[in-house]
Amino acid sequence: MQVSMSVNGDEVTEEIEARMLLVHFLRDQLGLTGTHWGCDTSNCGTCVVWMDGEPVKSCTVLAAMAGGHEVRTVEGLERDGELDPVQQGFMECHGLQCGFCTPGMLMTARALLDRNPSPSTDEIRQAISGQICRCTGYATIVRSIQWAASYEAAATVGSAS
Amino acid sequence: MQVPAPFEYERATGVDDAIALLDRLGSAARLVAGGHSLLPMMKLRLANLEYLIDINDLHGELGYIEVEPGQLRVGSMTRHRELLESDPLAEAFPIFRDAERVIADPVVRNRGTIGGSLCQADPSEDLSAVCTTLDASCLIRGSSGSREVTMAEFYRGPYETAVGDDEILIEIRIPVRPNGSSAYEKVERRAGDWAVVSCGAAVWMDGDVISDARVGLAAVGPNTTGIPAISEALRGKVPSEDLYAEAGAIAAENCTPSTDMRGSAEYKRHLANELTRRALRRSTARIHGQGV
């Protein structure tokens, strides 16, 4: 079957099998290997991408189901060579070690800050509760997201003055 | 790598279109909503089908929470996140927000729907216990018309419902009665997991006495279980710790848990007892404006 969708702002049309999962479509068909493929059972969350602005686990969405929708992956976070503040935050605060969970964490973090620009520690922990990190114990991930929130708050104040 | 077996993909444009597709494709077809139960089952070959009919485009038509005099209606495509975030729903039935906080995780809740959850009919599923507790009924539609069934009629057995091969669940209807409240209690092994045991309660008061009460348990038998004996024991009584203990004992006696990786049958009976007490206590406190 043929499927068309927008991926990071680009319209793509591909011939696929109906049973192809969105994660494999992104990685194997489009070569966007930033989205990782982990548990295959919607538990680990490394495959999180956005569909119409909301984080979803792409191992449990068919590529066909994403047809006609807007998909955004970790490759779509940086703009004109500038890292998104959540990406910068993960660098500043050592939010990753092996990096396997990072793409999913970044996409969920970005969605959280878009909805809630100054989340509490609890709210951050809840937002990433469907994602597993085996390196950091989550503490540095929480700090990284807080760093991004503070950075964006300062930038907003800066642009208002 | 887990991938479903081959199938043909169809996308329904509306309720009538979905029913027409089901009519044409027969028992070889299944509807998919959020897909977070069905796709894993397809990957494991526990669900085998020739046609998959995607009904996500029906969210506009079937994604709603309508509070009306005497009844609340929830469209079957309403997603978990919408149920969690709805203030009118939490005000009428706080049990929904209690349950939604502990169903899966926020990313899964962006996709999963109430209709998909009920139609999955997993004996451990939380919204099934919520709807049983609230005495909900289900509106089912097929090419020959619509019909409304009670939750007891809806569940035929584990993973089996009254929804026929050529039918679709449209709406969940919940009666709204005055002077009542509700609560949900769940014990899980880790955040976002299926219940070891969970328990919903709803209580209605007439002055100082309980005019009606209902309890629904999940994960303690082949079906989500309502316990009429508890309703009988509580009606006309003044709420007290002794009364909650009596209800808890009835819950433990009236369930049929089995020993599995989530716990022993004995432990689950203990939980059925304890969670029944907690859910009733919390429901009653909420009626008295003690927000907990």
Side-chain angles (χ1 to χ4, degrees):
Chain A
M1 65 175 287
Q2 204 177 55
V3 67
S4 300
M5 67 184 82
S6 150
V7 178
N8 299 325
D10 295 332
E11 292 299 325
V12 298
T13 299
E14 295 279 328
E15 196 63 37
I16 58 162
E17 266 194 279
R19 61 177 171 160
M20 179 176 257
L21 299 164
L22 181 57
V23 64
H24 300 310
F25 178 79
L26 294 169
R27 290 176 56 85
D28 303 341
Q29 202 91 9
L30 303 183
L32 295 173
T33 50
T35 300
H36 288 172
W37 163 50
C39 72
D40 240 344
T41 56
S42 76
N43 280 287
C44 81
T46 193
C47 67
V48 169
V49 301
W50 290 7
M51 226 169 96
D52 298 336
E54 288 194 348
V56 301
K57 293 184 174 175
S58 61
C59 76
T60 311
V61 175
L62 295 169
M65 295 169 88
H69 294 276
E70 284 181 19
V71 173
R72 193 173 176 203
T73 70
V74 70
E75 286 92 344
L77 278 185
E78 65 78 29
R79 292 283 157 92
D80 303 326
E82 266 201 45
L83 292 180
D84 187 277
V86 295
Q87 293 173 305
Q88 191 66 35
F90 272 65
M91 283 176 61
E92 300 287 341
C93 302
H94 309 284
L96 64 144
Q97 186 177 318
C98 85
F100 190 75
C101 72
T102 312
M105 289 289 182
L106 291 172
M107 295 312 287
T108 305
R110 184 65 265 159
L112 170 70
L113 295 185
D114 285 349
R115 280 168 66 88
N116 179 0
S118 54
S120 67
T121 305
D122 261 6
E123 287 168 334
I124 293 173
R125 285 184 176 272
Q126 273 173 25
I128 61 169
S129 64
Q131 283 154 275
I132 293 172
C133 172
R134 293 278 107 124
C135 300
T136 62
Y138 304 99
T140 55
I141 293 178
V142 173
R143 266 179 238 144
S144 302
I145 298 171
Q146 282 169 328
W147 186 95
S150 308
Y151 176 87
E152 287 176 359
T156 310
V157 171
S159 63
S161 60
Chain B
M1 179 159 112
Q2 294 181 12
V3 171
F7 57 85
E8 297 281 324
Y9 174 86
E10 302 274 354
R11 190 184 279 206
T13 54
V15 172
D16 292 341
D17 185 42
I19 292 170
L21 282 166
L22 286 169
D23 242 8
R24 181 158 63 82
L25 302 171
S27 60
R30 284 283 296 270
L31 300 178
V32 63
H36 279 55
S37 297
L38 186 56
L39 288 179
M41 287 180 79
M42 288 165 68
K43 289 178 179 182
L44 296 170
R45 305 297 189 270
L46 294 172
N48 293 299
L49 43 90
E50 288 174 40
Y51 299 94
L52 191 67
I53 304 173
D54 182 354
I55 56 169
N56 280 283
D57 287 357
L58 275 59
H59 180 260
E61 214 173 331
L62 297 181
Y64 55 83
I65 297 164
E66 298 285 347
V67 187
E68 296 169 352
Q71 109 172 328
L72 188 145
R73 298 184 299 116
V74 182
S76 59
M77 282 302 293
T78 309
R79 299 197 193 272
H80 288 298
R81 175 165 141 199
E82 294 168 321
L83 296 167
L84 174 65
E85 293 180 352
S86 166
D87 288 333
L89 184 63
E91 202 172 302
F93 300 113
I95 185 173
F96 266 102
R97 189 166 282 174
D98 290 349
E100 284 295 352
R101 283 197 174 116
V102 289
I103 291 175
D105 64 65
V107 182
V108 170
R109 291 198 292 258
N110 281 341
R111 290 293 290 167
T113 63
I114 185 169
S117 298
L118 296 192
C119 289
Q120 177 69 9
D122 189 300
S124 307
E125 203 280 311
D126 292 294
L127 289 185
S128 306
V130 168
C131 290
T132 298
T133 300
L134 296 177
D135 200 15
S137 56
C138 294
L139 182 71
I140 300 168
R141 191 175 297 164
S143 53
S144 53
S146 297
R147 62 201 174 97
E148 193 173 330
V149 301
T150 64
M151 292 308 296
E153 293 162 343
F154 184 80
Y155 289 115
R156 293 279 172 81
Y159 309 102
E160 266 187 74
T161 72
V163 182
D165 284 340
D166 54 351
E167 291 183 315
I168 174 173
L169 173 61
I170 299 286
E171 179 177 282
I172 293 88
R173 296 175 169 175
I174 306 167
V176 179
R177 297 188 261 167
N179 303 319
S181 196
S182 55
Y184 198 71
E185 297 281 346
K186 174 176 176 176
V187 168
E188 52 190 356
R189 291 176 303 173
R190 59 176 190 273
D193 197 9
W194 295 96
V196 178
V197 173
S198 55
C199 172
V203 176
W204 295 268
M205 302 282 291
D206 181 8
D208 291 337
V209 299
I210 294 171
S211 57
D212 198 8
R214 295 177 59 89
V215 166
L217 295 173
V220 288
N223 278 109
T224 308
T225 322
I227 307 194
I230 293 182
S231 307
E232 284 158 31
L234 266 54
R235 279 189 206 117
K237 305 274 176 58
V238 176
S240 69
E241 281 302 315
D242 286 348
L243 194 63
Y244 303 147
E246 190 187 331
I250 296 172
E253 279 165 27
N254 282 271
C255 62
T256 53
S258 45
T259 296
D260 60 17
M261 61 187 177
R262 294 201 175 92
S264 67
E266 191 190 356
Y267 173 55
K268 292 181 188 181
R269 271 186 209 285
H270 166 78
L271 285 180
N273 182 328
E274 179 59 32
L275 297 186
T276 297
R277 297 181 197 209
R278 289 184 195 173
L280 285 169
R281 190 185 294 130
R282 221 158 133 213
S283 300
T284 316
R286 281 173 168 166
I287 296 175
H288 295 115
Q290 291 149 11
V292 280

